[in-house]
């Protein structure tokens, strides 16, 4: 039987324990939602004041040059590159994940229109994050050329969905609800054998699990910086394009920031060389500057070390729920197999929404996803083994006492 003392001992010998000091965490909160909104890096407060007072307040328009604002999307993209197996000048930080999906999808479809115009199917997963599916639908509606979306699910496995009609495969590396992870290299190779290009959504993978885009021979990738990368609420996303595709076409959101010489103010669009053409318009500098603080904190360690601790903590969570909450109707929907698990743990419970509200009221912050899913994000940068123990104890207490069964825990908020 595991005890709280075991957890304290594991923390005492944890080589990553010191990283917790990089973040400002509220007292009396166990934060298991870093997969949805990361925490505040200590460095972000000073950096934000510097951007406000010195760069904006004093530097004003000069800061586009003197404070490096103009180069931020690429400079920060190069910092992120090492965490996702990308090369230098292959990633930019910009726009939202949804918008970057649109750009990547458009570029992939253009490549296929030249190479194999009969390919009109975009394959994704029924259980994918909805915005991915919505962006595909919007793209098909815009194209109006007989494009079709095909969704893999229990009745249509990937090997049956892929054939000579498929132009693009768009998948999330780690599923936002279940935490199940695809084998990126194997799936990319499978798609390639069928002539399809791949777009990977790394929203729940970047900073959470080791990713190697170039070794996997992927084509495009997008993802968030406000989740495991601790970039701040709504911080700009990223887009990676394999070097071999970068100069083939330009993306359709051909704004002036993607122009080769934006300050020529020319009437004709001339795309910049390389990844820069995937930018559109003026960037949100205040928010983007803070992305660097989250990246710097992660870069103090390695994805290999983070992965090891993440698996130890998710294993611990699963074991403790088994030991201490066995009589309750909790169904683990996250794979037990390490190779198929991301960095969060999810359970179904018939009263999942109310149980999560009761947990949050007790300071254990996870989140709820339809249908009936309790989701616990495990972020090894700042979580301790003892946090996992205390979180599961609180869950056990709430379930044992049916404390979730109160009217205030049934009330739905706009954001769950
Ligand atoms: C969180 C998430 C998004 C979010 O997209 P935004 O445009 O930032 O709102 C997209 N895809 C996946 C898989 C996600 O988990």
């Amino acid at each position: 039987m595991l005890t709280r003392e075991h957890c304290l001992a594991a923390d005492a010998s944890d080589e990553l324990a010191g990283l917790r000091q990089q973040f400002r965490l509220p007292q009396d909160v166990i934060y298991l939602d870093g997969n949805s909104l990361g925490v505040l890096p200590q460095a972000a407060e000073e950096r934000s004041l510097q951007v406000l007072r010195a760069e904006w307040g004093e530097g004003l328009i000069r800061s586009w040059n003197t404070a490096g604002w103009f180069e931020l999307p690429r400079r920060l993209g190069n910092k992120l590159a090492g965490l996702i197996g990308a090369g230098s000048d292959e990633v930019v930080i910009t726009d939202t994940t949804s918008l970057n999906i649109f750009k990547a999808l458009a570029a992939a479809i253009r490549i296929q229109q030249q190479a194999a115009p009969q390919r009109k199917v975009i394959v994704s997963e029924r259980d994918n994050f909805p915005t991915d599916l919505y962006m595909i639908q919007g793209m098909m509606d815009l194209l109006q050329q007989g494009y079709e979306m095909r969704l893999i699910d229990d009745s249509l496995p990937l090997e049956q969905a892929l054939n000579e009609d498929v132009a693009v495969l768009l998948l999330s590396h780690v599923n936002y609800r279940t935490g199940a992870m695809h084998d990126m290299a194997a799936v990319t190779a499978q798609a390639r054998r069928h002539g399809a290009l791949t777009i990977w959504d790394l929203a729940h993978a970047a900073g959470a699990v080791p990713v190697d885009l170039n070794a996997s021979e992927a084509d495009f990738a997008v993802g968030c910086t406000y989740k495991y990368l601790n970039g701040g609420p709504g911080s700009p996303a990223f887009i990676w394009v394999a070097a071999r595709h970068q100069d083939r076409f330009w993306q359709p959101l051909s704004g002036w920031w993607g122009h080769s010489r934006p300050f020529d103010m020319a009437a004709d669009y001339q795309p910049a060389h390389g990844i820069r053409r995937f930018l559109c318009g003026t960037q949100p500098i205040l928010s983007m500057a803070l992305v660097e603080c989250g990246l710097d904190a992660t870069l103090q360690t390695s994805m290999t070390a983070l992965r090891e601790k993440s698996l130890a903590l998710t294993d611990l969570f699963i074991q403790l729920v088994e030991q201490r909450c066995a009589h309750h109707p909790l169904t683990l929907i996250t794979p037990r197999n390490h190779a198929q698990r991301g960095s969060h743990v999810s359970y179904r419970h018939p009263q999942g929404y109310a149980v999560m509200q009761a947990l949050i009221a007790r300071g254990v912050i996870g989140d709820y996803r339809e249908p009936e899913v309790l989701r616990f994000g495990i972020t090894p940068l700042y979580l301790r083994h003892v946090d996992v123990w205390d979180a599961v104890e609180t869950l056990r207490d709430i379930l044992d006492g049916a404390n979730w069964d109160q009217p205030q825990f049934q009330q739905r908020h706009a954001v769950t």
Side-chain angles (χ1 to χ4, degrees), residues 96-99 101 128-129 131-132 172 174 176 201 203-204 224 226-227 237:
T96 66
T97 299
S98 302
L99 283 168
I101 289 171
N128 203 346
F129 191 86
T131 207
D132 297 51
S172 291
V174 176
Y176 79 100
D201 185 335
H204 285 268
C224 306
Y226 55 78
K227 293 176 178 169

